């Protein structure tokens, strides 16, 4: 570390109150330590120590510098430990439990980017229902969980979350695709693609139509996000999903997301979680950071 020896010299002199004692502790000639202390005092323009008959005592300037020195030494020790950990990333596995829409877009993209930099690490992506994702994280069967509308539980720590309201998802050729926003009633004439009742978003969408006074019957019902996206991309059907569900398809020009006006849909919160009070292994921590970067990029 730049100037690391000087920092250690200042720290030991302050602890022991003596340049000679610091030299003996560090196995360095006292004259060398004294030279560095004098050079630093000259550079700062203030004395760091009072020279007393029985030793040295910090001046006010010295107290300020010593606090900085000790913070720097501590931070550098942490950096060294992290670098050592990175060198030991020779093998291992990170398990993320997620939903099928996310497993078809953001998660594998982040995993591919991560593994390109850390080829000896393995990422396992497991698709589950929400209740199973929560249990897998609590039981330690998954390092991370990424899903919509996860319940708040004391055993779960949230690393990142965002309210990602559902919108109308259509093909780029759809008559509504060019609109920035649209009222829910504009969707009524088209074939509607609903999640079935086994999925939480079914209630969000059905409630929105009911509260808007629109009595509709979906043309398609499915518990597969992938099926919903395919149906929307291949005709005039409208699915109701979040931007994160179709991040890859929108980037590739296969689907378009159109916001519904007046926040008609209820909350649809996407969360990245881990088990509470459980220190993550370095690989899991680094992959969590990768996922969060991908999530932030998707909303920019």
């Amino acid at each position: 570390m730049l100037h690391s020896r000087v920092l250690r010299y200042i720290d030991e002199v302050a602890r022991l109150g003596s340049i000679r004692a610091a030299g003996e502790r560090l196995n360095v000639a006292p004259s060398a330590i004294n030279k560095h202390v004098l050079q630093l005092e000259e550079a700062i323009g203030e004395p760091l120590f009072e020279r007393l008959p029985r030793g040295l005592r910090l001046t006010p300037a010295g107290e300020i510098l010593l606090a900085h020195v000790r913070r720097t030494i501590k931070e550098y020790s942490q950096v060294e430990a992290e670098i050592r950990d990175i060198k030991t990333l020779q093998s291992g596995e990170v398990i993320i439990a997620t939903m099928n829409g996310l497993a078809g877009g953001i998660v594998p993209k982040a995993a591919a980017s991560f593994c390109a930099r850390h080829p000896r690490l393995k990422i396992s992506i497991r698709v589950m229902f929400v209740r199973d994702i929560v249990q897998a994280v609590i039981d330690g069967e998954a390092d991370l969980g990424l899903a919509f509308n996860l319940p708040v539980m004391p055993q779960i720590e949230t690393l990142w979350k965002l309210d990602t309201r559902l919108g109308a998802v259509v093909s780029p050729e759809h008559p509504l695709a060019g609109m920035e926003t649209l009222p829910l009633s504009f969707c009524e004439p088209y074939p509607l693609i609903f999640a079935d009742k086994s999925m939480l978003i079914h209630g969000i969408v059905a409630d929105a139509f009911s509260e808007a006074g629109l009595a509709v019957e979906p043309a398609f019902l499915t518990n597969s996000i992938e099926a919903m996206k395919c149906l929307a991309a291949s005709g005039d059907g409208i699915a109701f999903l979040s931007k994160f569900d179709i991040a890859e398809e929108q980037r590739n020009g296969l689907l378009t997301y159109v916001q519904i006006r007046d926040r008609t849909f209820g909350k649809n919160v996407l969360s990245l979680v881990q088990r509470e009070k459980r220190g993550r292994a370095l690989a899991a921590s680094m992959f969590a950071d990768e996922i969060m970067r991908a999530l932030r990029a998707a909303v920019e």
Side-chain angles (χ1 to χ4, degrees):
M1 181 179 61
L2 185 64
H3 306 314
S4 60
R5 287 182 301 168
V6 179
L7 300 185
R8 290 294 305 277
Y9 296 166
I10 297 296
D11 186 37
E12 288 299 332
V13 171
R15 289 180 192 278
L16 301 174
S18 165
I19 288 177
R20 183 175 298 278
E24 291 175 358
R25 172 72 64 83
L26 298 171
N27 197 26
V28 177
S31 59
I33 294 178
N34 188 54
K35 177 183 176 182
H36 282 294
V37 171
L38 291 173
Q39 287 176 340
L40 189 55
E41 288 180 324
E42 183 178 355
I44 291 174
E46 291 285 342
L48 302 176
F49 296 96
E50 294 181 44
R51 275 68 176 177
L52 304 174
R54 294 187 178 181
L56 302 179
R57 183 172 65 194
L58 285 166
T59 63
E63 293 280 3
I64 293 171
L65 180 65
L66 181 64
H68 166 72
V69 164
R70 289 178 175 169
R71 284 196 305 270
T72 303
I73 290 173
K74 181 179 179 181
E75 290 171 2
Y76 184 63
S77 296
Q78 292 171 344
V79 168
E80 284 185 314
E82 290 177 9
I83 291 173
R84 284 195 301 271
D85 284 343
I86 289 173
K87 289 180 179 178
T88 64
L89 286 177
Q90 301 300 314
S91 63
E93 179 183 23
V94 179
I95 301 171
I96 181 167
T98 190
M99 309 172 82
N100 62 12
L102 299 168
I106 281 181
V107 174
K109 182 180 174 72
S113 175
F114 182 79
C115 288
R117 297 195 306 278
H118 306 286
R120 293 184 177 88
L121 290 174
K122 180 171 71 174
I123 303 296
S124 290
I125 302 169
R126 299 183 181 173
V127 175
M128 303 177 180
F129 291 112
V130 167
R131 62 180 180 276
D132 299 320
I133 292 172
V134 171
Q135 200 59 50
V137 172
I138 291 174
D139 293 343
E141 295 176 0
D143 300 291
L144 302 167
L146 179 68
F148 294 99
N149 306 312
L150 290 171
V152 176
M153 302 181 70
Q155 306 99 312
I156 296 290
E157 176 187 358
T158 300
L159 304 173
W160 183 94
K161 69 177 181 179
L162 182 71
D163 184 4
T164 60
R165 299 279 174 155
L166 300 177
V169 170
V170 296
S171 73
E173 293 77 30
H174 195 283
L176 302 180
M179 301 183 68
E180 291 187 8
T181 65
L182 57 86
L184 196 58
S185 60
F186 277 33
C187 301
E188 190 176 13
Y190 298 96
L192 302 180
I193 306 161
F194 277 23
D196 70 17
K197 292 183 179 180
S198 69
M199 302 180 72
L200 290 174
I201 58 172
H202 174 86
I204 296 174
V205 175
D207 289 348
F209 275 97
S210 177
E211 290 172 9
L214 300 172
V216 298
E217 285 293 332
F220 305 96
L221 280 170
T222 177
N223 66 349
S224 167
I225 300 293
E226 291 304 312
M228 295 174 72
K229 292 191 288 187
C230 287
L231 288 165
S234 60
D236 284 343
I238 302 176
F240 300 95
L241 299 168
S242 77
K243 288 182 179 180
F244 291 97
D245 289 313
I246 65 160
E248 287 303 301
E249 290 82 3
Q250 188 159 19
R251 186 176 293 110
N252 295 329
L254 299 175
L255 288 171
T256 298
Y257 172 95
V258 184
Q259 182 179 334
I260 302 296
R261 290 180 194 167
D262 304 322
R263 300 183 70 84
T264 301
F265 291 122
K267 288 186 176 182
N268 187 51
V269 178
L270 178 60
S271 303
L272 178 67
V273 301
Q274 69 169 6
R275 190 166 68 177
E276 177 71 10
K277 297 180 180 178
R278 178 189 180 187
R280 282 178 286 154
L282 178 62
S285 179
M286 291 171 65
F287 185 56
D289 290 340
E290 186 80 35
I291 289 286
M292 287 186 279
R293 281 194 294 272
L295 292 169
R296 293 187 188 105
V299 296
E300 288 178 354

